[in-house]
Amino acid sequence: MAATGSEKQGGDGVKSFYVSTPIYYVNDAPHLGHAYTTVAGDVLTRWHRQRGEKVWYLTGTDEHGQKIMRTAEANDVTPQAWCDKLVEEAWKPLWEHLNIANDDFIRTTEKRHTDRVQEFVQDLYDKDQIYKGGYEGPYCVGCEEYKLPGDLIESEDGTKLCPIHKKPVELLKEENYFFKLSEYGPKLLEFYAANPGFIQPESARNEVVNFVTQGLQDLSISRSTFDWGVPVPWDEKHVIYVWVDALLNYATAVGYGANQEKFDETFPANVHLVGKDILRFHAVIWPAMLMAQGLPVPGRIAANGWLMVGGEKMSKSNLTGIKPQDLTSHFGVDAYRWYFLRAIAFGSDGSFSWEDFSARYTSELANDYGNLASRVAAMVGKYFGGALPEATAAGDAESAVQEGLAKAVDTADRKIGEELDFQGGILAIFEFVKQVNGYITEQEPWKVAKDESPEGQARLATILYTAAESLRGVAVLLNSVLPDTSQKLWESLGAEASLGALADQRVQDAGDWGRLPVGTTVTKGAVLFPRLEEKPA
């Protein structure tokens, strides 16, 4: 049985926690759906970095294939010029705008990729895993995929349509080279049975198992009717099928055939994040290709659902593509990063609405979280001159808060770091925020402050230390989701000066009570989540 990503280690004994997004087609600018997956990967890898782990986060662009070629032609430029423009003017700037901390950005037109793709395919050919044949069938250029007749839907006039793009398929007949995918059906089924967590969620796993159980067809791995792609090394009248080219980025980006030490310490991916519409490529074709080469398969294929607008999958072709900047300009980047992972269970489809975003922003970010931070800083400033007081009168109420933080840490670490349940992890953190708000409401420090006796002042100091120390834990826990806001809160609490950089705080230790030193200077900074103006016209 092939090793999984969680079992194999590199030459130094420490394997990177390796996460990838799909590499995105550059036929147009990115929309919310692309950003959703990329932010999820960023939160996951930031979380593991803050655990103190070695991490590698990869994203990039898929730049070959018929769809890209036709888009470039429609814009009267070469395919390479089109790709260069979109990558440099749209894709990379958006990831920077959204505070994506990727370690690499690979483009499939780069020589470091194309050379290795040819070597990989040549090796399969030399191993008698590839043969020449012909194929005729319905092809969706949008998916860059031959469709099975049973997968198609019909329009009102009887035209056969791609079920994803809702556009007519093209009937293609051409000479191709084929990979012996059909031979790997039993091996894949055996692997799925031995590794039930390989495909997530369970509904996605069931779909793939059912698909493979019905029997696999050999895979066409070349095209001969156009030339925008990586040439087949033994027959340059053909270019390598764009999906074979694309899938190999996960290996070529981390040193396959070029840097063995890097490859050993990184490959395979622990988690491939993919959209559910490209699940079969990643859960069937990709592991079969790796098995054919004797390489380890990934640890997990995690399929996220679709973002829906008006009941349709969000996409440019369906005219429902929304630019992330349309939202970040109003709500801010951190709130944007938070909203989709908070509002939608990862792995399920979810509907976006401006009204829902506004309501959650106001209720949870502004009122619950932002207001808590402002109130605590203001009271420490008013009653203790900004110097964090010592907690000397703790009781059952404070013990409950301490237990609440420890529970939030354990739950969030398991859900975000292990289960990829971003929503569940974020909810656990915000349940603790609500608990701290309830604690302050019940303890009424503004009334306790009127008691000028030593006992009264000790009680007031204890309440405010408990609230500030709680926020210290929250800043650590939310750093992967809300990095800019967490940094502002960290500095407001005086933690940067007293505890060091926020990035160096370990999430698994965030519940260790009493880390914020007595005497630390607490300042009331800018409002973390300002009141929203009306929705722009």
Side-chain angles (χ1 to χ4, degrees):
M1 184 62 63
T4 66
S6 59
E7 296 167 344
K8 183 179 181 296
Q9 292 190 334
D12 65 356
V14 179
K15 183 192 177 301
S16 295
F17 183 78
Y18 175 21
V19 177
S20 74
T21 71
I23 50 172
Y24 303 107
Y25 283 129
V26 289
N27 57 307
D28 212 327
H31 57 62
L32 294 186
H34 304 116
Y36 174 51
T37 308
T38 310
V39 169
D42 188 64
V43 170
L44 178 61
T45 47
R46 282 177 182 267
W47 190 275
H48 279 265
R49 283 193 192 98
Q50 200 140 9
R51 277 179 167 182
E53 297 176 20
K54 184 178 174 183
V55 170
W56 195 261
Y57 183 32
L58 174 69
T59 188
T61 44
D62 186 358
E63 303 182 12
H64 289 129
Q66 197 167 12
K67 178 163 60 173
I68 303 298
M69 185 184 73
R70 288 183 178 178
T71 301
E73 289 172 349
N75 286 273
D76 199 28
V77 295
T78 66
Q80 188 66 63
W82 175 260
C83 294
D84 291 345
K85 177 179 174 65
L86 264 289
V87 169
E88 297 302 328
E89 296 182 8
W91 290 86
K92 285 184 177 180
L94 177 61
W95 297 161
E96 183 176 351
H97 174 65
L98 294 179
N99 212 349
I100 304 298
N102 54 294
D103 296 282
D104 194 4
F105 186 103
I106 189 164
R107 301 178 57 185
T108 57
T109 52
E110 292 178 286
K111 184 175 175 59
R112 64 166 171 155
H113 174 73
T114 57
D115 285 355
R116 304 290 87 78
V117 168
Q118 287 188 309
E119 290 171 8
F120 188 100
V121 173
Q122 179 70 57
D123 198 27
L124 285 181
Y125 184 72
D126 293 342
K127 291 176 178 177
D128 196 32
Q129 293 293 301
I130 292 175
Y131 65 91
K132 194 172 188 178
Y135 196 84
E136 181 176 7
Y139 192 85
C140 172
V141 175
C143 293
E144 292 283 12
E145 178 186 17
Y146 279 106
K147 297 290 183 179
L148 297 174
D151 291 338
L152 303 177
I153 60 175
E154 283 193 6
S155 65
E156 292 182 358
D157 64 2
T159 302
K160 300 293 186 181
L161 306 177
C162 167
I164 296 171
H165 292 91
K166 308 296 192 299
K167 291 186 175 182
V169 293
E170 301 177 16
L171 188 64
L172 296 184
K173 182 178 181 181
E174 60 182 335
E175 180 184 76
N176 301 96
Y177 286 94
F178 288 82
F179 168 57
K180 295 179 180 179
L181 180 64
S182 60
E183 294 183 358
Y184 291 88
K187 296 177 184 178
L188 289 168
L189 291 173
E190 180 186 357
F191 180 78
Y192 301 153
N195 299 275
F198 174 63
I199 305 168
Q200 295 181 347
E202 186 175 359
S203 58
R205 179 183 185 277
N206 293 338
E207 174 201 323
V208 170
V209 170
N210 290 337
F211 174 73
V212 177
T213 300
Q214 294 170 16
L216 296 176
Q217 297 181 1
D218 288 346
L219 175 71
S220 170
I221 60 102
S222 75
R223 299 291 309 277
S224 58
T225 55
F226 63 92
D227 62 1
W228 180 239
V230 180
V232 170
W234 64 88
D235 188 346
E236 294 201 352
K237 295 193 298 291
H238 294 247
V239 293
I240 295 169
Y241 175 41
V242 66
W243 266 106
V244 173
D245 169 8
L247 288 165
L248 282 168
N249 94 90
Y250 305 129
T252 62
V254 295
Y256 172 77
N259 184 339
Q260 191 63 41
E261 181 179 359
K262 172 71 175 176
F263 188 71
D264 289 342
E265 292 179 354
T266 313
F267 194 83
N270 294 73
V271 180
H272 285 312
L273 297 176
V274 303
K276 66 179 183 178
D277 50 332
I278 57 174
L279 175 63
R280 291 179 187 176
F281 295 103
H282 288 81
V284 179
I285 296 172
W286 179 225
M289 288 167 55
L290 293 171
M291 290 175 179
Q293 287 284 38
L295 292 172
V297 302
R300 192 183 326 181
I301 309 294
N304 61 260
W306 288 342
L307 295 186
M308 313 292 283
V309 176
E312 291 280 350
K313 177 196 175 189
M314 190 173 294
S315 71
K316 294 291 183 180
S317 57
N318 289 339
L319 303 180
T320 54
I322 300 173
K323 292 192 302 182
Q325 295 91 331
D326 295 338
L327 301 183
T328 59
S329 63
H330 184 70
F331 296 99
V333 170
D334 266 13
Y336 175 95
R337 291 170 57 93
W338 166 86
Y339 170 73
F340 290 98
L341 298 182
R342 159 64 183 90
I344 300 168
F346 197 77
S348 301
D349 292 346
S351 296
F352 161 76
S353 77
W354 190 281
E355 292 72 21
D356 183 61
F357 197 159
S358 295
R360 292 182 190 275
Y361 176 101
T362 300
S363 172
E364 297 181 41
L365 292 183
N367 293 349
D368 288 350
Y369 183 28
N371 191 44
L372 173 64
S374 294
R375 292 168 73 197
V376 171
M379 286 189 286
V380 173
K382 180 177 180 180
Y383 301 128
F384 294 96
L388 187 67
E390 185 177 3
T392 58
D396 291 344
E398 287 69 43
S399 295
V401 173
Q402 293 181 36
E403 291 170 3
L405 176 58
K407 179 182 177 182
V409 171
D410 290 344
T411 302
D413 194 27
R414 171 171 48 84
K415 288 189 174 293
I416 295 175
E418 302 298 334
E419 299 174 6
L420 275 62
D421 179 5
F422 302 103
Q423 183 185 63
I426 291 169
L427 283 174
I429 300 167
F430 273 81
E431 281 299 312
F432 176 66
V433 170
K434 288 179 181 294
Q435 181 183 355
V436 179
N437 275 308
Y439 166 79
I440 290 177
T441 299
E442 291 171 3
Q443 300 304 316
E444 299 181 311
W446 47 90
K447 289 186 179 180
V448 176
K450 296 176 182 179
D451 181 354
E452 297 181 357
S453 69
E455 295 78 11
Q457 291 302 296
R459 184 68 199 141
L460 177 63
T462 298
I463 295 169
L464 293 183
Y465 182 88
T466 299
E469 173 66 354
S470 297
L471 285 170
R472 188 270 315 158
V474 171
V476 175
L477 290 176
L478 287 176
N479 190 37
S480 66
V481 183
L482 303 166
D484 286 345
T485 303
S486 296
Q487 182 62 35
K488 291 175 184 175
L489 177 59
W490 192 249
E491 293 173 1
S492 170
L493 293 170
E496 186 83 14
S498 60
L499 296 177
L502 177 55
D504 294 335
Q505 312 303 309
R506 297 290 167 252
V507 289
Q508 64 268 34
D509 300 332
D512 293 351
W513 193 261
R515 285 180 170 251
L516 200 57
V518 171
T520 293
T521 301
V522 178
T523 57
K524 186 177 180 182
V527 175
L528 297 183
F529 296 99
R531 182 178 179 275
L532 294 173
E533 301 298 328
E534 293 298 318
K535 176 182 176 181

